[in-house]
Amino acid sequence: MNLVEQEHDAKKDHINEIVLSEDVQRAIEQVLQSSDPLDQPDFNPTDYINQLFPNEQSLSNIDEVIAKMECDISLIDDNIRSVVRGQVNTGENGRVALKEAQQSLTQLFSLITDIKSRAEKTEDAVKEITRDIKQLDSAKNNLTYAITTLNHLHMLVGGVENLKRLSERRQYGEVLNPLQAIIEVNQHFQQYSEIAQIQTLSAQVQQIQSELATQITDDFKNFFSPTSHSNANRMTLTQLKDACQVASVLDKPVKKNILKWFINLQLQEYVQLFHENQDIAWLDKIDKRYAWVKRHLLDFEEKYGTVFPPDWEVSERITVQFCTITREELAKIVARRRTEIDVKLLLFAIQKTANFEQLLDKRFNGTTLVEATSEEVRPERGSFSSLIGSCFKPYLDIYTDSIDRELTALIEQFAQANQQMVVPKEINPGILPNCADLFVFYKKCMVQCMQLSNEKPMYDLVLLFKKYLREYAAKVLEARIPKPQPPNTTTSSISSSMSLLTKDFQNLSTAAGQVIHNFLKEGETPRFSSEDMRKICYILATAEYCLETVQQLEDKLKEKIDKQYVAKVDLSDEKDVYHRIISNCIQLLVHDLDAACEQSLLLMTKIAWHSISNVGDQSGFVNQIITNLKQTVPVIRDNLANSRKYYTQFCHKFVNSFIPKYINTLYRLRPTSSGSSSASGTAALVASASSSSLSEGGASGGAASGGNILGCEQLLLDTHSLKTVLMDLPSIGSQVQRKPPASYTKVVVKGMAKAEMIIKVVMQPVHPASLYIEQYLKLMPESSVVEFHKILEMKNVRKIEQQQLVEAYKRACPQLQQQPPTSSATAGSQAAGAESGNSTQQSNEPPTSGGNSTQSQQIAAAAAAISGAGSSIMALGDSLMDKGRIKKIENLIKNRLPN
């Protein structure tokens, strides 16, 4: 029952809900304008009640509100009741109104029918009245047409006889008007061509036109013929002018034939004078051709300029025919004598021809270059450009071959002048002067070729530009990049250092220190001088200028060349060449600065970090690095003042190279010691050898055996000092301090933070193991098993303990289980390999960063020999005069030396 009642209530609510459309609602609002919330379409009872009684205190006047509501309800009920009662008689009123409307429509229909019948009667009456008027109008039109036709016929009959008489007398001035009229009348009578009399008259008119055309043509030939000067029947200029007017009225072929004959007559002298067998016809006298036609046109216009009608454009037609003949003749001559053409002669002929064509464009309209299809439609004016010069286009390869030879000579000149390249003494030297000279020559060639052709020759020029941009990069820029000479370190020099060690055992510690000093000095990577660094920056700035100018050159070529070749203009390979030069220069500068820092990092490995007794200022190797940076970086920065972005790249690449090397060097150190590792004893002995005191070496070993971490603290201090210096590297040694780029700062902070974390991890005690691994993962969350092995080696942890710690580390990092397991032996070999990692890395460097592979191997072998020798010597410090032991030391050193 409850479900039935709920359904009934839902249907009841649905029936009571009235939904009005928006149009109805707007209409109600316009009629019943009210601000009462009860009249609003979105009325909400709950909101209305809450508005009336916002709090408990407002309930005090609830009786008044209820009374007011009841009063409003009663008013609404009264209104509804009156409206309902008023609708009782609505149906009856509607039926009455409908009946009245139907009666009105019936009356209206009868009125319309009456009006229509009256209109038809009126129309019939009008037709009856105007019947005779139409007949009269038609008769008038027929009579007028008949009179006009008779007049035309009379004109045609009389005009034919008159034209015959006037044409026989050659009275062309009087023939013109009747001829035009008769031709028009004859066109009118073409619709009556089936009448015999009309056919006869039409034939007579055509015969008169034919006779006039023949007669006028003969008169022209008699007048301009060289043998007709004594002829008594020769026409006057006035008659000739009238004859031209008559020829214009006749058929088009008449005028065309007259002009063709006359123009050939005018150019007959030119054809004979400049025949291909004549010396004057060769290219070196091409300007004489143009001088001849200029004189001839002036003479023609002076004598006969008023004879021919202006619309005949006789002067322009003579010029166009002259250009056509000249082009054909030059093409034959040039093809026959191609071997005699050099680029100077070709450019001379093209230049004279182009100047003449420009003169013609200014003088004539060019309307005769393209014949119109009708008299009413005139074509757009043409251009005389290339009308003659097109004959030279097949031979423009002579020009491009000449440019090829000139560019070859120019590049060779630049290369020879660049053998002793001297960088200007000012701080910012700019670019190589010959670079600007090359592009000025390119611009001159491009402008010159545009005057010749922007099609195939221009594309050939683009290929030449590409070729010599690469030539300039290889022979002028790359050839002059300084290259450091490899060091002259040989086995004999190392052997001589070893002999120094064994020669005098009276002062063994001093001899060992001297051996190490000599070895370090001989193993130095060659450095660039300050002048070489300025040369590299000089070349880098020039390559940057070339790169920017090549882009501008490519855009200009695409703008000027013909559309069919635009897609083929691509200088991206040449831009890549200059990009490579810039990258190579930056890499050389980075390698040079790296080489300066490598010696300091090598010195870092010779310090007995585990035996440091107190933490003081930054170490000596840090001071050396700072000194090298202050000596090198300002020179590069000053010489790249106009190439700031590439200086920033240099700084980026240097820190990306230096920081990993510094971290690898950290892995080779043993800043702590438990006193039980043989490796720590060896490191202590080497450190003792470099300290020049046997007693100090013993003290250091003792300090290390106690688990000293002061070395780590000193390393942390040195790392922080290096981080500060690297952060300030872009502005080091400069009076103007600039904030380094955010990307650079991010690299330095991230890299040096890892170095600091490594040192902090080394400082942590390994026991208990779980706590140490927990601290390790917090400090180095992105580490790996290999790095974990290296850090354990830095702490001089025993192999057995290493294996246990590695297993615990793997259990703490489940993601490492997917990696291949690393045994303690492998880890030990990796740690041992790290001792010579710097030498191995140097062997993989390019030759420009110092040394070759064989040389690096010799240095590594010598370092191992010195280390072994130092260890043996310090182990036998209490019995230095024991000859048997000394003999063993000599044999040990000889066995360690490379063969």
Side-chain angles (χ1 to χ4, degrees):
M1 292 297 293
N2 291 334
L3 293 175
V4 174
E5 291 177 356
Q6 290 178 0
E7 184 178 357
H8 177 71
D9 293 339
K11 289 182 179 179
K12 183 178 180 181
D13 294 339
H14 179 70
I15 293 172
N16 292 334
E17 182 180 0
I18 300 175
V19 180
L20 302 178
S21 65
E22 294 182 359
D23 295 337
V24 175
Q25 189 65 44
R26 283 196 297 268
I28 293 174
E29 291 176 357
Q30 291 177 359
V31 176
L32 301 176
Q33 297 180 357
S34 174
S35 59
D36 193 343
L38 295 172
D39 295 332
Q40 301 301 319
D42 55 348
F43 173 73
N44 190 328
T46 304
D47 294 340
Y48 184 67
I49 294 173
N50 290 334
Q51 184 178 0
L52 292 176
F53 307 105
N55 48 43
E56 294 180 0
Q57 289 77 11
S58 61
L59 295 175
S60 60
N61 61 344
I62 188 171
D63 295 332
E64 297 177 1
V65 174
I66 293 173
K68 184 177 180 299
M69 290 293 179
E70 290 176 349
C71 181
D72 291 340
I73 291 171
S74 63
L75 290 175
I76 292 172
D77 289 340
D78 293 339
N79 292 333
I80 293 172
R81 191 179 299 110
S82 62
V83 171
V84 171
R85 290 174 180 175
Q87 297 296 321
V88 173
N89 298 325
T90 301
E92 185 64 26
N93 295 335
R95 285 190 292 273
V96 172
L98 180 60
K99 185 175 181 181
E100 292 177 354
Q102 289 175 348
Q103 292 176 355
S104 299
L105 288 173
T106 304
Q107 293 175 359
L108 180 62
F109 181 75
S110 63
L111 289 174
I112 291 173
T113 304
D114 185 40
I115 290 171
K116 182 178 179 182
S117 62
R118 289 181 182 181
E120 290 175 352
K121 293 178 181 179
T122 303
E123 184 180 1
D124 293 339
V126 171
K127 288 181 179 180
E128 185 67 24
I129 293 170
T130 59
R131 183 180 299 167
D132 296 336
I133 295 175
K134 286 185 177 180
Q135 292 177 355
L136 292 173
D137 186 58
S138 177
K140 177 187 174 183
N141 290 335
N142 294 333
L143 182 60
T144 302
Y145 187 75
I147 292 172
T148 303
T149 303
L150 288 174
N151 287 334
H152 285 170
L153 182 59
H154 180 269
M155 185 187 300
L156 183 61
V157 173
V160 169
E161 296 296 330
N162 188 28
L163 279 178
K164 288 182 179 180
R165 184 174 63 256
L166 292 176
S167 62
E168 290 175 355
R169 297 176 183 176
R170 286 183 169 78
Q171 295 176 351
Y172 298 122
E174 299 178 8
V175 166
L176 180 61
N177 291 331
L179 179 62
Q180 289 178 332
I182 288 175
I183 291 175
E184 293 177 1
V185 170
N186 189 37
Q187 292 293 332
H188 174 72
F189 280 105
Q190 291 300 317
Q191 56 184 327
Y192 307 110
S193 58
E194 69 275 1
I195 301 174
Q197 291 81 356
I198 299 300
Q199 291 180 357
T200 303
L201 290 173
S202 179
Q204 291 178 359
V205 171
Q206 291 181 358
Q207 183 179 359
I208 291 173
Q209 289 179 331
S210 177
E211 290 175 354
L212 277 174
T214 304
Q215 183 175 309
I216 291 173
T217 303
D218 293 340
D219 290 340
F220 263 90
K221 292 181 179 180
N222 290 333
F223 182 86
F224 290 103
S225 177
T227 60
S228 65
H229 293 289
S230 60
N231 192 345
N233 294 328
R234 187 168 179 265
M235 289 195 306
T236 62
L237 291 178
T238 303
Q239 289 178 314
L240 196 62
K241 183 178 180 180
D242 294 338
C244 290
Q245 297 290 343
V246 174
S248 298
V249 176
L250 296 173
D251 294 337
K252 288 183 179 180
V254 178
K255 171 185 170 183
K256 184 177 180 182
N257 293 333
I258 292 174
L259 285 174
K260 182 178 180 181
W261 173 85
F262 179 74
I263 292 171
N264 290 334
L265 179 65
Q266 295 298 310
L267 296 176
Q268 186 176 0
E269 178 186 354
Y270 170 74
V271 173
Q272 295 176 357
L273 183 62
F274 291 91
H275 192 268
E276 60 178 323
N277 295 327
Q278 302 295 328
D279 292 338
I280 197 174
W282 187 228
L283 297 182
D284 58 346
K285 299 180 179 62
I286 195 171
D287 52 337
K288 296 186 180 296
R289 294 175 179 267
Y290 308 136
W292 181 91
V293 75
K294 292 176 187 177
R295 291 194 306 268
H296 187 77
L297 287 176
L298 290 174
D299 184 59
F300 164 77
E301 291 178 355
E302 182 180 353
K303 291 181 180 180
Y304 309 112
T306 58
V307 173
F308 297 94
D311 61 318
W312 282 29
E313 301 286 356
V314 179
S315 296
E316 182 175 325
R317 293 178 186 276
I318 293 174
T319 305
V320 171
Q321 184 65 16
F322 166 82
C323 293
T324 304
I325 294 174
T326 303
R327 182 180 67 248
E328 294 173 355
E329 291 295 321
L330 288 177
K332 291 191 293 184
I333 295 173
V334 172
R336 184 166 56 87
R337 303 173 62 178
R338 178 189 176 97
T339 56
E340 302 178 29
I341 304 176
D342 57 11
V343 66
K344 185 177 180 181
L345 179 61
L346 180 64
L347 292 179
F348 169 79
I350 293 175
Q351 187 63 45
K352 292 295 182 181
T353 302
N355 293 340
F356 177 68
E357 290 171 346
Q358 292 175 5
L359 178 63
L360 296 182
D361 276 327
K362 295 177 182 178
R363 170 64 179 81
F364 300 111
N365 294 325
T367 54
T368 62
L369 291 173
V370 180
E371 293 293 336
T373 57
S374 64
E375 292 292 341
E376 294 80 11
V377 182
R378 299 291 290 179
E380 296 182 359
R381 73 180 302 272
S383 174
F384 286 87
S385 178
S386 299
L387 191 59
I388 301 175
S390 59
C391 67
F392 298 116
K393 288 186 179 180
Y395 307 98
L396 287 178
D397 57 332
I398 298 174
Y399 168 75
T400 53
D401 291 344
S402 171
I403 297 298
D404 191 0
R405 292 191 296 270
E406 289 185 35
L407 283 172
T408 300
L410 192 64
I411 296 297
E412 291 299 329
Q413 177 186 344
F414 290 163
Q416 292 177 3
N418 217 33
Q419 291 292 335
Q420 301 295 330
M421 184 176 65
V422 178
V423 183
K425 295 182 179 180
E426 56 265 21
I427 293 179
N428 187 16
I431 63 171
L432 286 170
N434 54 31
C435 175
D437 296 340
L438 177 67
F439 286 105
V440 168
F441 183 80
Y442 273 17
K443 181 180 179 181
K444 184 188 75 172
C445 293
M446 185 171 63
V447 172
Q448 194 175 49
C449 190
M450 271 298 299
Q451 297 174 353
L452 304 179
S453 173
N454 69 335
E455 297 178 353
K456 181 64 166 54
M458 177 67 81
Y459 180 65
D460 292 340
L461 192 65
V462 171
L463 297 180
L464 289 179
F465 286 173
K466 290 168 62 69
K467 173 184 175 183
Y468 287 100
L469 284 172
R470 295 191 295 269
E471 290 281 335
Y472 182 83
K475 295 184 178 180
V476 179
L477 296 184
E478 290 182 331
R480 297 271 61 80
I481 295 178
K483 295 178 176 59
Q485 297 298 325
N488 294 324
T489 305
T490 61
T491 305
S492 60
S493 62
I494 299 177
S495 299
S496 62
S497 298
M498 293 302 101
S499 65
L500 175 65
L501 179 64
T502 57
K503 182 177 180 181
D504 186 5
F505 290 99
Q506 298 298 325
N507 192 357
L508 187 57
S509 63
T510 303
Q514 184 65 30
V515 169
I516 295 174
H517 175 73
N518 290 341
F519 167 70
L520 294 178
K521 184 176 180 181
E522 291 173 352
E524 288 181 356
T525 305
R527 294 286 312 282
F528 288 121
S529 64
S530 177
E531 184 66 20
D532 287 341
M533 286 191 292
R534 295 187 72 228
K535 284 183 180 180
I536 294 174
C537 295
Y538 196 33
I539 293 172
L540 188 151
T542 304
E544 180 188 12
Y545 171 81
C546 291
L547 184 62
E548 295 173 354
T549 312
V550 167
Q551 181 60 53
Q552 299 173 7
L553 177 66
E554 181 179 8
D555 296 339
K556 185 62 69 174
L557 288 170
K558 288 183 177 180
E559 176 185 341
K560 297 297 184 182
I561 202 168
D562 189 73
K563 293 182 180 180
Q564 60 179 325
Y565 293 100
V566 170
K568 297 181 180 180
V569 178
D570 183 13
L571 303 184
S572 57
D573 292 341
E574 288 65 37
K575 288 184 283 189
D576 291 342
V577 169
Y578 290 101
H579 271 300
R580 188 181 69 244
I581 292 176
I582 292 172
S583 178
N584 187 25
C585 290
I586 294 175
Q587 200 64 35
L588 286 175
L589 296 174
V590 170
H591 285 169
D592 181 72
L593 192 55
D594 268 344
C597 296
E598 282 178 1
Q599 299 301 320
S600 302
L601 296 179
L602 185 60
L603 177 62
M604 178 182 174
T605 62
K606 303 305 176 184
I607 299 175
W609 295 100
H610 60 278
S611 61
I612 290 179
S613 58
N614 63 328
V615 179
D617 294 334
Q618 60 193 24
S619 302
F621 79 91
V622 177
N623 294 329
Q624 286 187 8
I625 292 175
I626 295 174
T627 301
N628 288 324
L629 294 179
K630 289 183 176 180
Q631 289 176 351
T632 304
V633 175
V635 176
I636 299 173
R637 182 180 60 243
D638 292 341
N639 285 273
L640 293 180
N642 293 336
S643 303
R644 190 72 188 178
K645 63 179 180 180
Y646 294 116
Y647 172 67
T648 304
Q649 284 187 21
F650 160 76
C651 295
H652 268 280
K653 289 188 176 182
F654 171 71
V655 296
N656 281 325
S657 174
F658 173 77
I659 293 177
K661 289 183 179 180
Y662 180 73
I663 292 175
N664 287 333
T665 305
L666 284 179
Y667 284 137
R668 298 170 58 191
L669 304 182
R670 301 295 179 264
T672 62
S673 175
S674 61
S676 61
S677 174
S678 60
S680 63
T682 303
L685 289 174
V686 175
S688 300
S690 62
S691 65
S692 303
S693 174
L694 293 175
S695 60
E696 291 178 1
S700 299
S705 63
N708 186 11
I709 63 169
L710 292 179
C712 293
E713 295 179 358
Q714 182 65 42
L715 276 175
L716 200 60
L717 174 64
D718 294 339
T719 302
H720 181 73
S721 299
L722 279 177
K723 177 181 177 181
T724 304
V725 172
L726 292 178
M727 289 289 290
D728 190 46
L729 180 65
S731 301
I732 192 170
S734 174
Q735 297 179 355
V736 179
Q737 296 295 319
R738 292 186 180 181
K739 186 177 179 180
S743 58
Y744 173 82
T745 304
K746 182 178 179 181
V747 172
V748 174
V749 170
K750 182 178 180 181
M752 297 307 291
K754 181 177 181 180
E756 291 175 344
M757 293 301 104
I758 291 172
I759 299 172
K760 290 180 181 180
V761 167
V762 174
M763 294 172 67
Q764 300 293 327
V766 296
H767 300 292
S770 59
L771 181 61
Y772 177 72
I773 292 174
E774 180 181 355
Q775 292 295 325
Y776 181 87
L777 292 175
K778 288 182 180 179
L779 295 175
M780 299 183 67
E782 298 180 358
S783 182
S784 63
V785 177
V786 176
E787 286 184 333
F788 189 68
H789 271 294
K790 291 180 180 179
I791 290 173
L792 294 179
E793 290 290 338
M794 290 178 68
K795 294 180 66 64
N796 282 316
V797 178
R798 291 180 300 177
K799 300 297 182 181
I800 298 177
E801 293 181 358
Q802 283 188 26
Q803 184 65 26
Q804 296 173 353
L805 288 170
V806 168
E807 295 297 331
Y809 176 73
K810 289 182 178 180
R811 288 193 297 271
C813 300
Q815 66 272 18
L816 296 177
Q817 297 298 327
Q818 300 178 359
Q819 299 180 0
T822 305
S823 63
S824 59
T826 305
S829 64
Q830 290 174 345
E835 291 291 336
S836 58
N838 194 34
S839 300
T840 306
Q841 185 178 7
Q842 287 182 4
S843 66
N844 294 329
E845 294 286 342
T848 54
S849 62
N852 52 31
S853 177
T854 304
Q855 197 172 27
S856 299
Q857 292 174 359
Q858 293 177 354
I859 293 173
I866 293 173
S867 178
S871 300
S872 301
I873 292 170
M874 298 310 300
L876 300 176
D878 294 333
S879 55
L880 296 178
M881 301 306 295
D882 190 342
K883 294 184 179 180
R885 293 293 183 90
I886 293 174
K887 189 67 174 178
K888 292 181 179 179
I889 293 173
E890 289 180 351
N891 293 332
L892 177 62
I893 292 173
K894 290 179 181 179
N895 292 333
R896 291 288 185 91
L897 283 176
N899 295 327

